[in-house]
Amino acid sequence: MSRVFLSSDEIRSLFAQAMSDMYRNEVPLYGALVELVAKVNAETLAANPALDEQMTRNDERARLDQERHGAIRVGSADELATLRRLFAVMGMSPVGYYDLSVAGVPVHSTAFRPTTAAALARNPFRVFTSLLRLELIEDAGLRAQAEEILEQRDIFTEGARALIAQCERDGGLEEADAHRLVAEALETFRWHGDAKVSHATYQALHDAHRLIADVVSFRGPHINHLTPRTLDIDAAQVEMQRRGMEAKAVIEGPPRRAVPILLRQTSFKALEEAVAFPANAGEEHGTHTARFGEIEQRGLALTPKGRALYDQLLNQARDAGGAGSTGADYAARLATVFEQFPDDLDTLRREGLGYFRYALTREGLAASAAERALPADALIASGLAVADPIVYEDFLPVSAAGIFQSNLGGAEQHAYEAHESRTDFEAALGAKVMDEFGIYAQLERDSLDALSR
Ligand code: OOG
Ligand code: NI
């Protein structure tokens, strides 16, 4: 009898839903955010039928209500490599390399996510995954202690390890096994309030960097936020404030524009959670703040040329007056600087600043093969084709640093004397990370090829 495997897309959808249910129980703020975002999205779409049509045309409409990203932080190469194998079962590959050390956060990261148009349309669930860089702990004794603690823990259940191996061996998982794997995987990402280290050790790790304590002190890489996608982050921000939620002062990323680009995010104050630290006579009680709420708005994926312009303008806005991204006038500065970034779809496309998905219109579908063989620009000019923005599926290191900092207590951190170390990261991961630009370029090319077919 042949076996029927569940597709990796289906397993990812099950997993995303299970994580969402779990996080809703752990962090009630998350449930409130999801509800608020759904309301803002419904209002935005009702007020903008063209956006609704565009999203439907690009298979983005149905996925919107499910769309989330999560974030986790791990401590060793083995943990990272096993996560890669777990996420592979769910059709998620490591995309991009992010060096956060320049922003004073002792980690480097990648995003596990689906990469094909069909998989993204089905469920774009992504997990921003950071690896602690132990070599950035200055105190040699503390570094050795952290390393030893990490060596002794196993963040995966036996069942999860066995099912990952089974999937690799058989080429898939049947439905019951897929459900079991999802349940086993949740154990890795769940909050465990019983610390693995004494309060004194936690404090020493915390003094070195709050993030080090977060990674090293616990049984596993608790998911630290799960972020829904809003179609209007400014409206969502206003609504949050109206409901008395404590939002970060600054929205990370580009300013509000007619054509949203990349990613805009804002996060909400982390929770203070009860922790039981092992002690000689039983346990000692304390608290830990790691988990927070976040929402984001996604826009056009930029080409390397567009991204270079974005980075240049962002630096310009941040550097003006040496104020960084704090300061009351930051939003105004950002808006002024970004006047240099074209803000209509046609110019963005013709100047090669973003990636687009081309599709025939109704007239185009009725046109002759000879007509359809015209260059894309001519097809668009004569109304036979449209070019829609391809949505950015990745992250932004400067924004990520801002998010890390805000939930690490607000103060800007000083940069580490480290530089990026992609080779070390890939060695730990046991694979190369994919180049995000190559993925967007492929999506664009596929849509162009389909025009003439
Ligand atoms: C990850 C921060 C990065 C984002 O949305 O840029 C991130 C973390 O705090 O672990 O999630
Ligand atoms: Ni995030």
Side-chain angles (χ1 to χ4, degrees), residues 69-71 128 224-227 265 292 294 296 298 395 400 403:
H69 84 251
F128 191 89
N224 67 55
H225 62 285
L226 206 54
T227 301
Q265 304 178 305
F292 58 98
E294 182 188 57
E296 66 187 6
R298 291 183 172 267
F395 294 85
I403 300 286

Side-chain angles (χ1 to χ4, degrees), residues 142 145-146 149 196-209 212-213 216-217 277-278 284:
L142 190 65
Q145 191 185 3
I149 295 165
K196 296 281 282 177
V197 304
S198 70
H199 196 261
T201 302
Y202 172 88
Q203 208 49 55
L205 295 166
H206 194 279
D207 290 347
H209 197 295
I212 300 174
V216 177
S217 309
F277 296 96
E284 197 179 324

Side-chain angles (χ1 to χ4, degrees), residues 5-312:
F5 292 139
L6 220 56
S7 72
S8 54
D9 289 344
E10 284 170 285
I11 304 178
R12 179 175 65 263
S13 292
L14 288 176
F15 177 65
Q17 187 60 52
M19 290 284 273
S20 183
D21 294 343
M22 180 177 83
Y23 202 59
R24 192 184 293 265
N25 280 328
E26 292 183 347
V27 180
L29 169 70
Y30 167 73
L33 279 178
V34 165
E35 186 210 305
L36 183 153
V37 162
K39 178 171 168 281
V40 168
N41 288 354
E43 286 166 2
T44 307
L45 288 168
N48 191 348
L51 177 63
D52 198 335
E53 255 170 63
Q54 178 202 305
M55 292 188 74
T56 305
R57 189 161 64 222
N58 290 285
D59 291 332
E60 260 189 84
R61 182 67 187 85
R63 76 177 222 188
L64 180 65
D65 300 328
Q66 314 298 322
E67 185 159 352
R68 307 277 189 274
H69 84 251
I72 53 174
R73 307 153 182 170
V74 294
S76 72
D78 177 67
E79 292 176 354
L80 183 66
T82 307
L83 280 178
R84 172 178 59 75
R85 295 169 53 214
L86 170 67
F87 288 137
V89 175
M90 305 175 186
M92 296 156 77
S93 310
V95 179
Y97 172 77
Y98 303 86
D99 171 26
L100 280 306
S101 69
V102 290
V105 184
V107 305
H108 42 188
S109 320
T110 191
F112 288 97
R113 68 166 178 90
T115 59
T116 66
L120 286 163
R122 180 73 171 76
N123 189 316
F125 191 57
R126 3 175 145 69
V127 181
F128 191 89
T129 302
S130 301
L131 174 65
L132 181 62
R133 293 176 73 175
L134 282 172
E135 76 273 17
L136 299 185
I137 300 182
E138 272 161 41
D139 180 328
L142 190 65
R143 193 186 322 133
Q145 191 185 3
E147 219 162 326
E148 197 187 307
I149 295 165
L150 288 168
E151 248 166 53
Q152 282 167 12
R153 75 175 184 184
D154 187 353
I155 63 171
F156 302 97
T157 63
E158 247 177 74
R161 285 187 180 274
L163 285 160
I164 294 168
Q166 179 186 322
C167 181
E168 288 169 343
R169 187 188 64 225
D170 299 349
L173 292 177
E174 289 179 65
E175 187 166 356
D177 286 338
H179 281 273
R180 279 209 295 135
L181 177 61
V182 166
E184 299 278 351
L186 284 190
E187 295 311 307
T188 297
F189 304 113
R190 190 186 292 293
W191 167 248
H192 299 280
D194 49 331
K196 296 281 282 177
V197 304
S198 70
H199 196 261
T201 302
Y202 172 88
Q203 208 49 55
L205 295 166
H206 194 279
D207 290 347
H209 197 295
R210 207 156 132 171
L211 197 110
I212 300 174
D214 182 57
V215 175
V216 177
S217 309
F218 298 92
R219 274 159 57 191
H222 37 260
I223 175 128
N224 67 55
H225 62 285
L226 206 54
T227 301
R229 172 178 168 197
T230 174
L231 298 176
D232 187 341
I233 198 166
D234 302 282
Q237 176 103 335
V238 168
E239 184 60 20
M240 325 238 356
Q241 277 149 4
R242 202 180 65 77
R243 296 190 190 189
M245 299 181 186
E246 274 184 278
K248 199 166 162 300
V250 170
I251 294 179
E252 299 285 348
R256 183 175 182 85
R257 301 161 37 95
V259 179
I261 52 172
L262 298 173
L263 180 63
R264 300 181 71 206
Q265 304 178 305
T266 186
S267 65
F268 302 89
K269 229 182 136 144
L271 315 173
E272 196 165 296
E273 289 169 288
V275 176
F277 296 96
N280 285 338
E283 53 190 31
E284 197 179 324
H285 294 276
T287 59
H288 179 63
T289 41
R291 296 162 1 121
F292 58 98
E294 182 188 57
I295 58 172
E296 66 187 6
Q297 180 175 357
R298 291 183 172 267
L300 174 70
L302 300 184
T303 59
K305 180 183 172 193
R307 180 55 189 270
L309 179 58
Y310 171 79
D311 286 337
Q312 182 205 319

